[in-house]
Amino acid sequence: MPRERAFLVGAELTGGRSPWSAEDSLQELALLADTAGLDVVGSAYQRLKQQFSKHFIGPGKVEEIAALRDELKYDLVIFDDELTPGQTRNLEDTLKVQVLDRTGLILDIFATHAHTHEGRIQVELAQYKYLLPRLRRQWLHLERQAGGGGASAGGVVGLRGPGETQLELDRRMIGHRIALLERQIEEVHRHREQYRERRRKNGVPIVALVGYTNAGKSTLLNALSGAHVRAEDRLFATLDPTTRQIDLPGGQQVLLTDTVGFIQKLPTQLVAAFRATLEEIREADLLLHVLDITHKNAAQQTDTVLETLKELRAAERPIITVLNKVDLMEGVDEREVGRLAGELGLPDDYVAVSAQRGWGLATLLQQIEDTLGQRMATLEAFIPYKRNDLVALWHQRGVIDTEQYEAEGTRISGRIPATIAMQLAPFRVEQPV
């Protein structure tokens, strides 16, 4: 089956604060279109002081795009910004083809790539919230056939036409569906909160992978945990979050969670719908910001990730910056990596890795252990042999500096998560003043 042909349209608002140029943003939109199974046959952008209320872009640019239809034979036009329902309707009337915006395209990709029940209901909710204000244009042909709902010849207000009736039915149906999906997501939220509460009691640290889409998070998860998460060189190749247990060099066990990739102009519907999933980022003990150091837009991607973390109220979490894909650099020169990191304004404690080749992973694991260790309680305890379960828990969840077996029990010192330190309080050995 032949792929649909898409024409892309972008706008650059003069005086805007976006670090992305229109050309770079359109190139990313082309990658999104490819992920959605479309062939891009052309693109155009316009510099604007502000968007036009009728078509988003100027009328002359709309005519220019319409004139290309016969030559390029495009099936749909995709705008790089979110359009209002009215703008979409006006553009379709003028261009005589389907018009989609960036939000609709991302929602379509998410719908294709969501495989778990949780992922599907979150995407469906976002889709319906996006669709609801855009319903009217789908029934205009019925309203025209019915002649609308004006006054009749006898002065009596006429009955509503079948188009308007169908529209109301659809709105009511979607409203009910949204309410049902929101209840299901609230249930997901409760289950996740119960899971997080058990996790807190067990003292298992959470390390969350965050980063721009296609930065290599899934590949890094696979490399560190031996998991087999789908990893492709495509935007949003994976969507459903995955968690795996890994062991740090000192024996401490942590949970490593892969989260959905960020992207500029992330639809607000998705952020709201994925609240239960994105809360994993805010609850994490440590974030690994995975950055494709070889990408020409690495600076813009970094800004987007850090801004998104602020929006999620997660920017204050401890962060280790992981510069991925260094194997793609010529010579893999450490000085060149350092120069690029300096240009990007990254902290000095970054870790350079190649998740694909397994380079730098031992250093990364050690830095994860050191960073988590700084957030642990330091103590010495004498644990009787009948509570060897606490010794085993310390081995699994903490870091041991010394361990001595005595006649009545085990004398042990090191660092342990605060929640487990509370369980060890009765066996704590007070240090002499």
Side-chain angles (χ1 to χ4, degrees):
M1 183 177 179
R3 287 162 46 120
E4 285 189 286
R5 299 163 63 85
F7 187 90
L8 311 183
V9 182
E12 190 170 291
L13 297 179
T14 57
R17 297 181 179 178
S18 174
W20 292 80
S21 69
E23 296 97 321
D24 287 342
S25 192
L26 277 175
Q27 286 180 14
E28 182 177 85
L29 186 66
L31 292 175
L32 287 169
D34 177 67
T35 301
L38 303 170
D39 282 335
V40 175
V41 296
S43 65
Y45 74 92
Q46 185 176 33
R47 287 189 172 90
L48 303 170
K49 289 184 178 179
Q50 60 184 17
Q51 62 171 275
F52 287 76
S53 59
K54 185 174 183 180
H55 292 117
F56 191 88
I57 55 176
K61 181 62 71 172
V62 176
E63 291 177 5
E64 177 186 320
I65 295 168
L68 292 171
R69 188 173 62 248
D70 290 340
E71 175 188 345
L72 299 178
K73 301 189 184 310
Y74 55 74
D75 304 298
L76 73 161
V77 173
I78 305 175
F79 274 69
D80 195 32
D81 292 271
E82 186 164 336
L83 302 172
T84 67
Q87 287 169 340
T88 303
R89 182 168 61 249
N90 294 334
L91 285 163
E92 290 188 338
D93 287 344
T94 303
L95 298 175
K96 309 302 181 188
V97 295
Q98 181 186 358
V99 173
L100 193 64
D101 61 16
R102 184 185 182 95
T103 297
L105 180 63
I106 292 176
L107 287 173
D108 181 70
I109 294 169
F110 271 45
T112 303
H113 291 175
H115 300 298
T116 65
H117 172 68
E118 177 183 339
R120 286 195 295 267
I121 62 174
Q122 290 178 125
V123 172
E124 187 180 353
L125 175 62
Q127 286 179 311
Y128 276 129
K129 286 191 171 181
Y130 174 78
L131 175 63
L132 191 57
R134 292 166 171 80
L135 272 182
R136 181 173 177 79
R137 63 188 176 90
Q138 298 186 15
W139 300 106
L140 285 179
H141 65 291
L142 291 180
E143 291 182 6
R144 286 194 293 267
Q145 291 170 11
S152 66
V156 180
V157 175
L159 296 174
R160 291 171 178 169
E164 189 172 354
T165 303
Q166 182 64 58
L167 177 63
E168 290 178 348
L169 288 172
D170 280 0
R171 281 178 174 161
R172 190 177 303 116
M173 180 193 72
I174 289 179
H176 289 323
R177 185 63 181 167
I178 286 175
L180 173 63
L181 292 169
E182 286 179 334
R183 288 195 298 270
Q184 291 180 353
I185 287 179
E186 193 57 40
E187 187 65 24
V188 168
H189 172 70
R190 282 196 296 270
H191 285 160
R192 280 192 172 273
E193 186 54 39
Q194 291 170 1
Y195 169 67
R196 282 193 287 262
E197 187 58 35
R198 289 196 302 270
R199 205 169 58 200
R200 293 185 197 108
K201 290 180 179 178
N202 290 334
V204 186
I206 301 298
V207 179
L209 295 162
V210 299
Y212 210 82
T213 180
N214 206 33
K217 299 187 309 302
S218 297
T219 304
L220 184 60
L221 176 72
N222 290 337
L224 291 174
S225 68
H228 300 286
V229 177
R230 178 183 178 185
E232 292 184 28
D233 187 19
R234 278 190 169 187
L235 303 185
F236 297 121
T238 54
L239 174 60
D240 298 304
T242 304
T243 300
R244 294 290 184 269
Q245 181 175 290
I246 64 171
D247 295 328
L248 298 180
Q252 181 186 11
Q253 295 175 340
V254 301
L255 293 179
L256 186 63
T257 297
D258 186 15
T259 60
V260 61
F262 299 158
I263 195 168
Q264 58 144 340
K265 305 174 186 176
L266 189 67
T268 54
Q269 295 96 332
L270 278 178
V271 175
F274 275 73
R275 175 176 63 97
T277 300
L278 293 173
E279 279 178 355
E280 290 293 316
I281 296 173
R282 200 163 63 236
E283 294 287 331
D285 298 281
L286 174 64
L287 304 180
L288 300 187
H289 172 198
V290 184
L291 172 64
D292 177 0
I293 190 62
T294 68
H295 200 286
K296 69 170 186 173
N297 296 123
Q300 293 89 334
Q301 292 183 355
T302 298
D303 290 342
T304 297
V305 170
L306 296 181
E307 282 300 314
T308 305
L309 290 176
K310 285 182 183 178
E311 291 174 16
L312 297 173
R313 302 195 304 279
E316 302 305 316
R317 311 308 296 170
I319 298 178
I320 295 175
T321 304
V322 183
L323 306 184
N324 192 26
K325 305 189 183 183
V326 295
D327 57 303
L328 301 181
M329 299 176 60
E330 285 190 27
V332 197
D333 190 329
E334 290 185 12
R335 289 174 298 181
E336 178 64 10
V337 174
R339 184 188 67 78
L340 291 173
E343 288 182 357
L344 295 172
L346 299 176
D348 294 334
D349 58 350
Y350 65 82
V351 181
V353 307
S354 166
Q356 186 71 42
R357 294 180 177 267
W359 299 347
L361 299 187
T363 302
L364 175 58
L365 288 170
Q366 187 61 57
Q367 188 147 334
I368 292 172
E369 181 173 274
D370 293 344
T371 304
L372 290 175
Q374 295 168 11
R375 297 170 56 82
M376 291 183 180
T378 301
L379 75 156
E380 180 181 346
F382 184 78
I383 304 171
Y385 286 127
K386 66 180 181 180
R387 291 306 313 271
N388 267 348
D389 59 308
L390 292 177
V391 176
L393 192 60
W394 197 325
H395 276 272
Q396 292 174 343
R397 308 286 187 246
V399 177
I400 294 174
D401 294 330
T402 64
E403 186 175 18
Q404 295 177 330
Y405 299 101
E406 301 181 4
E408 301 297 325
T410 305
R411 185 175 300 274
I412 191 169
S413 66
R415 289 161 292 163
I416 198 78
T419 52
I420 297 179
M422 294 173 61
Q423 300 179 51
L424 291 163
F427 310 108
R428 186 185 186 109
V429 175
E430 297 297 335
Q431 299 296 321
V433 179

